[in-house]
Amino acid sequence: MTVRFSIEDHVARITIDRPDRMNAIDTATQTRLEEIWDEIEADPEVRCVVLTGSGEKAFSAGADLKDDTGMSGVDYWKDLSATGFKRIALRRTLNVPVIARINGLALGGGLEMAMGCDILIAADTARFGLPEAKVGRLPLDGGIVTLPRLIPRNIAVGMMMTGRMMSADDMARYGLVNAVVPADELDAEVEAWVKDVLSAAPLSIKAIKAIVRSTGEMSIHDAYTHETPELLAALNSEDANEGVQAFREKRAPVWQGK
């Protein structure tokens, strides 16, 4: 298997396991990742996801140019939207938080996957880039339209037009990365974020993600009045009362997810 996947204590963990290929994505790996995202969406017990790459050198170096059949060209570009944007880079239906554990290079499709996550934690040795133009291609898995919305436009365009790589500190300064730590502290930092996510009400988390993802192009007032099922579920939940009651009783809340 080229992807390791497990679920334990409400946390799904996904590891792209092709260290000999810098965790590059071939067709089989891409297919398996899409299946995993579908499985996570269908499992109400999952409250947080951690996505990473195997080894210490790469989160993912993007498409495996030695085996990327059907992963480029006009048909590939059209198929992404026709099939409902099933990949994490552009997926809009996943309502649980995804933490990217950036342990090394995040290039091309690797960076695009990271941009599809909600929280990015990087080792100080990590490097980021969209080098597709260097090989006559384009960042079709969302990078070409997403990166200029997440960091300053000229920085994003410069990265894409030159293929230059940026450091983890640079990407943190531009607002893409949440935290940068020494490589030997990466796991501890990721687990601290996982713990904090799990300490929050799951329905509140789902509502926050749904609203942020669905209102990015709206005006502030339209976004405020935008009604989503996740918003209504959180506002009408038993957990909303439990959280306040726990605060008053000076104890940890016991979330039911309802």
Side-chain angles (χ1 to χ4, degrees), residues 93-158:
T93 53
L94 187 65
N95 62 7
V96 295
V98 183
I99 298 174
R101 174 186 175 276
I102 312 294
N103 51 311
L105 295 174
L107 305 178
L111 176 51
E112 288 171 314
M113 284 192 292
M115 287 190 287
C117 299
D118 304 291
I119 297 169
L120 277 66
I121 311 301
D124 56 7
T125 53
R127 308 263 299 169
F128 301 77
L130 291 175
E132 284 85 350
K134 291 285 192 179
V135 292
R137 294 190 174 182
L138 295 169
L140 293 180
D141 276 29
I144 199 169
V145 293
T146 303
L147 191 60
R149 300 176 185 224
L150 295 176
I151 68 174
R153 174 200 178 275
N154 284 14
I155 302 301
V157 171

Side-chain angles (χ1 to χ4, degrees), residues 225-236:
T225 58
H226 181 64
E227 185 177 296
T228 69
E230 294 86 356
L231 171 67
L232 296 179
L235 292 176
N236 293 322

